[in-house]
Amino acid sequence: MGANEFVNKPHIGESVRRVEDARFITGQGNYVDDIVEAGQKYAAFVRSTYPHARLTGVDTSAAEEMPGVIRIFTGKDIAGKCGGLPAGWMIVQVDGAPMKEPQRPFLAIDKVRYVGEPVAMVVADTKEQAQNAIESVMVDYDPLDPVIDVHKAANGPALHAEAPDNRCYKWGIGDKAGVDAAFTKAAHITKIDLINNRMIPNAMEPRAANATFSRATGESTLYTTSQNPHLVRLLMCANILQIPETKLRVVAPDVGGGFGSKINVYPEDVGVVWASRALNCPVKWTAERSESFLSDTHGRDHHTHAEMAMDKDGHFLALRVHSDVNLGAYLATFGPAVPTYMYATLLAGQYKTPQLYAEVDAWFTNTAPVDAYRGAGRPEASYVVERIVTRCGWELGLSQDEIRRRNFITEYPYQTPVAMQYDTGDWPKCLDEANKLAEVDSFDQRRKASEAKGLRRGIGYSSYVEACGMGPSRIVGQLGARAGLYESGEVRVNPTGSVTVFTGTHSHGQGHETAFAQLVAARLGVAIENVEVVHGDTNRIPFGMGTYGSRSLAVGGGAIMKALDKIEEKAKKIAAHLLEASDADIEFENGQLTVKGTDKKISFGEVALAAYVPHNYPLEKLEPGLDETAFFDPPNFTFPGGTYICEVEIDPATGVVTIDRFTCVDDFGVIVNPMLVDGQVHGGVMQGIGQALLEEGVYDQETGQLLTGSFMDYTMPRAINLPNFRIGTVCTPCTSNPIGSKGAGEAGAIGAPPAVINAVLDALKPLGVNDIDMPATPFHVWTAIHNAKA
């Protein structure tokens, strides 16, 4: 079934209320910390207080005598007995050499490399006893100078013997010679230096892990706050614990937000499994918020120089980009891929720039490891592209929308200079719709009204594109992925006609239980409330790759649609036998199977019962049951995109930035549930605004201590920062999955930051401010204004 046919089905495009919300708002959700096993024990971790030091001794004797303490594990207990936490992606450098890949033990063995790194694990009868005991573990450190700034990493003390200059890799993509040649012909060159600030994810639910062990069977069960339980099991069994996958069950129950930070295998996950197997008891750990700040993977942290070559009319000729990126102290699961293939391959943006070359230097520093954070590479790319495009317009005297319009891609499919091939899109239409919704024609009136109040008003554009639907396995495998990125789906029709869907994706706030139920209801004609969606348990669901990169509907939904194809095919055969017709003459619509051109029909519920009570069809031709599994590996990525327009007011006396209105027009392809999409866009935009105006993870350059280690210092957006949203959509169905959906989960966080900063700079230009880094806090804005005056 094609996207054009599917989009007209019942339930598709309807704002069905989330079926999962009933249990959440009544307190019936089941999160990891809610799980308490018989004989439950608790873990707490001793964490390094130094960013860089040799470990010369760990004395646990006093802590071992404290009440309730069962066992204390240190790095010496695991040395040589288990593997390190692996990276899920291999990057090949410009010289053909592999990236530097140092080992990461789940407890530090000889050296600590960031503040918060686990040094020892205490297991005790109660959580309080474990936390009390970690205070009595005495660790002897031999401090070393830390490396915090990526610009100083090459000449700083080496974190790892494998990387004496602290460089993990130098990587590039594009035609460098072609770009250099294009620059020699340029009538104008625009240059920009940008910092994409470090972000600290703060999901509502902190990370947690609870492991059980059966000595009789040798099987462990890990309950964890993961976005991809099968990947956790794969990496933990194959690389770390080195046990058969049949001996580890991973369950991710209800998870309160992920945003990429729960995509990784973490030391604490491994620690509780290790301890439970060693002690033959369940062991649980739940992070304190202060631990989360220190030990969750962080996001972004790019320092970039970009140059755009143009002809005299403002047409782009070539883009040249160099980024120094901070990987932190170790390689996280997707850490190597985020600033390479998930970043530089999107630097073409929505524009037909003929030549592009990007080079990335990735550095180890004495900071928390860096990995995916909502958007994962795509926000960093869009920030570079949309900031320099706006500056190109300003330098040539062109409006922000005109410089974009002159360079938009208008013919598809379009092959970019950096590997991606866009299948569909209509960027001019997105821009036109955004201009209408934002009432740009009357902006000058609003600007004058603001100036009459002593305020400065600015408008900022961002026309983003991203790659979603993470797959296809063949392509990502060639680029270094160490796992396939296909997805699985099983559709089980029960004898009474109700349906259970098993999906390899994972829901942690997105609304899968509603959207997937809408797919099934649209195809089979059953009631949405009669569809159950199961996810998150490796013992129940087929092997799948979880949720990230806005892939759930595009790839996971694609697998479910393929399984539904099989269900429909078999249902037609059963119906044909029961109706004494050829299966080629059976039509299936709205839950009824009808013989074409007649009034003979049978309901899908009757067919379901017949499938399990096969008295009336030949078993030698059809097996009993109505249960089908399918895997879907997309032929290409999907490419959502759109235009965001932000309007701000700034008080020059205080530097306070107020977002007056925010307009989003997105092309997500076919939308199954508009309400879910609006919620995703709202949340993503707020996270983008948080990065643009408020949030920044900061380490002291001398001591390596995290200065923004709590909500007292790390400012999260609040309701007062919520702008007036105006949301619209354009639909060009994608061609790489049967639904035609492109993905919507990350768009807001990708498109918002450059729109906000472009608006801030538009407001401040008359005051002589030409640039400002994120976050544009009141202090930064006030300082920029006064420096410009000086």
Side-chain angles (χ1 to χ4, degrees), residues 109 120 276 290 357 390 533 552 640 683 711:
I109 296 176
S276 71
S290 57
Y357 180 73
T390 286
V533 177
S552 292
F711 290 132

Side-chain angles (χ1 to χ4, degrees), residues 393-430:
W394 285 340
E395 290 185 1
L396 295 179
L398 300 173
S399 66
Q400 294 183 65
D401 56 345
E402 178 58 27
I403 188 67
R404 286 166 169 79
R405 206 179 298 278
R406 290 190 186 188
N407 290 283
F408 274 151
I409 297 163
T410 55
E411 296 181 359
Y412 299 89
Y414 179 83
Q415 179 64 54
T416 75
V418 279
M420 295 297 186
Q421 185 181 79
Y422 304 160
D423 58 340
T424 62
D426 192 341
W427 311 137
K429 186 174 181 180
C430 290

Side-chain angles (χ1 to χ4, degrees), residues 41-46 60-79 81 106-107 120-126 129-131 133-134 137 215 271 274-281 283:
K41 308 304 178 186
Y42 297 83
F45 288 85
V46 178
T60 63
S61 56
E64 288 169 349
E65 300 300 319
M66 295 185 68
V69 173
I70 298 167
R71 179 81 180 269
I72 301 177
F73 297 89
T74 68
K76 290 183 178 180
D77 295 310
I78 67 168
K81 298 177 182 177
F106 77 84
L107 293 175
M121 175 176 56
V122 174
V123 179
D125 289 328
T126 70
Q129 289 171 334
Q131 289 176 325
I134 63 174
V137 175
R215 186 165 287 171
W274 179 274
S276 71
R277 294 177 72 87
L279 302 175
N280 192 30
C281 64
V283 179

Side-chain angles (χ1 to χ4, degrees), residues 647 649 656-661 686 689-690 693-694 715-725 778:
E647 274 190 46
E649 272 191 334
V656 171
V657 178
T658 301
I659 297 179
D660 181 62
R661 57 177 68 190
M686 279 308 296
I689 290 171
L693 297 182
L694 301 166
T715 308
M716 297 285 287
R718 301 183 179 187
I720 194 172
N721 306 115
L722 193 73
N724 176 26
F725 290 115

Side-chain angles (χ1 to χ4, degrees), residues 320-654:
R320 183 160 52 202
V321 177
H322 179 270
S323 294
D324 286 292
V325 305
N326 194 337
L327 296 175
Y330 297 98
L331 292 175
T333 306
F334 282 85
V338 171
T340 51
Y341 292 109
M342 298 173 75
Y343 162 63
T345 56
L346 274 302
L347 286 170
Q350 298 186 6
Y351 311 106
K352 51 189 177 187
T353 310
Q355 297 285 352
L356 198 158
Y357 180 73
E359 194 169 82
V360 175
D361 283 300
W363 305 95
F364 292 116
T365 68
N366 296 114
T367 63
V370 177
D371 205 322
Y373 176 68
R374 197 170 191 169
R378 282 74 53 81
E380 295 92 314
S382 287
Y383 190 68
V384 172
V385 174
E386 292 309 297
R387 284 291 314 279
I388 198 169
V389 166
T390 286
R391 179 168 286 191
C392 288
W394 285 340
E395 290 185 1
L396 295 179
L398 300 173
S399 66
Q400 294 183 65
D401 56 345
E402 178 58 27
I403 188 67
R404 286 166 169 79
R405 206 179 298 278
R406 290 190 186 188
N407 290 283
F408 274 151
I409 297 163
T410 55
E411 296 181 359
Y412 299 89
Y414 179 83
Q415 179 64 54
T416 75
V418 279
M420 295 297 186
Q421 185 181 79
Y422 304 160
D423 58 340
T424 62
D426 192 341
W427 311 137
K429 186 174 181 180
C430 290
L431 178 62
D432 291 341
E433 293 295 318
N435 274 337
K436 291 177 187 175
L437 274 178
E439 298 177 320
V440 171
D441 288 345
S442 57
F443 171 72
D444 283 340
Q445 298 172 23
R446 294 190 293 276
R447 189 199 291 270
K448 292 174 182 176
S450 296
E451 290 174 352
K453 298 183 291 183
L455 306 176
R456 294 288 175 175
R457 180 176 286 264
I459 189 169
Y461 282 69
S462 170
S463 296
Y464 78 94
V465 66
E466 57 165 327
C468 293
M470 287 301 167
S473 297
R474 178 181 56 84
I475 295 175
V476 299
Q478 294 171 355
L479 301 180
R482 288 169 167 166
L485 295 183
Y486 52 82
E487 199 44 75
S488 61
E490 178 186 352
V491 177
R492 180 182 300 167
V493 181
N494 301 306
T496 59
S498 63
V499 181
T500 305
V501 176
F502 301 86
T503 175
T505 66
H506 184 270
S507 180
H508 35 278
Q510 293 89 345
H512 294 178
E513 294 173 40
T514 304
F516 288 159
Q518 287 179 254
L519 293 186
V520 174
R523 287 291 301 273
L524 302 183
V526 301
I528 288 175
E529 56 268 25
N530 290 339
V531 180
E532 176 194 19
V533 177
V534 177
H535 59 91
D537 186 339
T538 59
N539 274 19
R540 297 191 66 190
I541 60 175
F543 192 96
M545 298 309 296
T547 293
Y548 45 85
S550 302
R551 69 189 301 272
S552 292
L553 191 60
V555 189
I560 292 170
M561 290 284 281
K562 285 172 71 72
L564 286 166
D565 288 342
K566 296 179 181 180
I567 293 286
E568 184 173 322
E569 181 182 1
K570 185 172 182 179
K572 285 181 176 180
K573 290 179 179 179
I574 297 172
H577 182 78
L578 297 175
L579 296 173
E580 300 180 331
S582 167
D583 54 353
D585 292 330
I586 299 296
E587 296 179 333
F588 189 5
E589 194 72 31
N590 297 327
Q592 298 291 325
L593 293 101
T594 307
V595 180
K596 192 184 307 180
T598 75
D599 60 356
K600 296 174 66 176
K601 63 182 179 181
I602 188 171
S603 71
F604 180 69
E606 292 174 286
V607 169
L609 183 60
Y612 289 93
V613 188
H615 296 163
N616 294 315
Y617 68 84
L619 289 174
E620 69 273 12
K621 293 184 178 180
L622 288 173
E623 296 177 349
L626 201 51
D627 185 342
E628 299 289 349
T629 299
F631 288 80
F632 179 61
D633 202 344
N636 192 8
F637 298 96
T638 65
F639 299 97
T643 290
Y644 289 3
I645 301 176
C646 176
E647 274 190 46
V648 301
E649 272 191 334
I650 299 176
D651 184 346
T654 62

Side-chain angles (χ1 to χ4, degrees), residues 85-340:
L85 279 65
W89 210 288
M90 166 56 71
I91 300 301
V92 177
Q93 302 190 65
V94 292
D95 62 1
M99 69 183 185
K100 307 297 173 56
E101 193 171 3
Q103 285 285 301
R104 182 188 182 186
F106 77 84
L107 293 175
I109 296 176
D110 298 315
K111 196 178 185 184
V112 292
R113 295 176 174 89
Y114 67 98
V115 173
E117 182 172 2
V119 173
M121 175 176 56
V122 174
V123 179
D125 289 328
T126 70
K127 182 177 180 178
E128 291 75 17
Q129 289 171 334
Q131 289 176 325
N132 288 337
I134 63 174
E135 301 295 333
S136 296
V137 175
M138 297 292 106
V139 183
D140 290 327
Y141 298 97
D142 179 12
L144 301 168
D145 290 337
V147 177
I148 306 299
D149 187 343
V150 292
H151 298 298
K152 299 178 181 178
N155 298 315
L159 275 72
H160 304 280
E162 297 89 339
D165 62 352
N166 291 316
R167 194 199 317 260
C168 178
Y169 56 77
K170 176 185 281 291
W171 175 88
I173 190 170
D175 182 355
K176 187 176 187 300
V179 167
D180 292 343
F183 267 80
T184 64
K185 303 172 184 176
H188 186 86
I189 296 174
T190 293
K191 301 179 180 181
I192 197 167
D193 289 289
L194 302 166
I195 296 175
N196 206 292
N197 40 322
R198 177 178 281 242
M199 304 295 287
I200 302 179
N202 278 288
M204 186 177 295
E205 179 197 21
R207 287 191 298 114
N210 191 356
T212 67
F213 178 63
S214 169
R215 186 165 287 171
T217 63
E219 296 176 5
S220 293
T221 297
L222 171 64
Y223 300 94
T224 181
T225 49
S226 175
Q227 298 176 215
N228 44 5
H230 267 298
L231 186 63
V232 169
R233 185 176 75 162
L234 172 64
L235 297 179
M236 198 175 287
C237 291
N239 298 87
I240 306 170
L241 300 176
Q242 297 162 8
I243 60 175
E245 285 180 275
T246 55
K247 298 300 181 183
L248 178 62
R249 174 191 180 197
V250 177
V251 182
D254 290 326
V255 174
F259 310 117
S261 68
K262 294 176 182 174
I263 206 171
N264 300 278
V265 178
Y266 278 98
E268 297 85 0
D269 296 329
V270 181
V272 296
V273 175
W274 179 274
S276 71
R277 294 177 72 87
L279 302 175
N280 192 30
C281 64
V283 179
K284 178 162 71 171
W285 167 81
T286 302
E288 300 293 324
R289 186 61 68 176
S290 57
E291 281 186 290
S292 297
F293 273 96
L294 290 172
S295 64
D296 286 6
T297 55
H298 294 179
R300 316 285 196 252
D301 207 345
H302 285 206
H303 295 244
T304 297
H305 176 77
E307 300 179 359
M308 182 74 84
M310 293 171 281
D311 67 14
K312 61 182 178 60
D313 297 316
H315 297 117
F316 301 155
L317 303 177
L319 176 63
R320 183 160 52 202
V321 177
H322 179 270
S323 294
D324 286 292
V325 305
N326 194 337
L327 296 175
Y330 297 98
L331 292 175
T333 306
F334 282 85
V338 171
T340 51

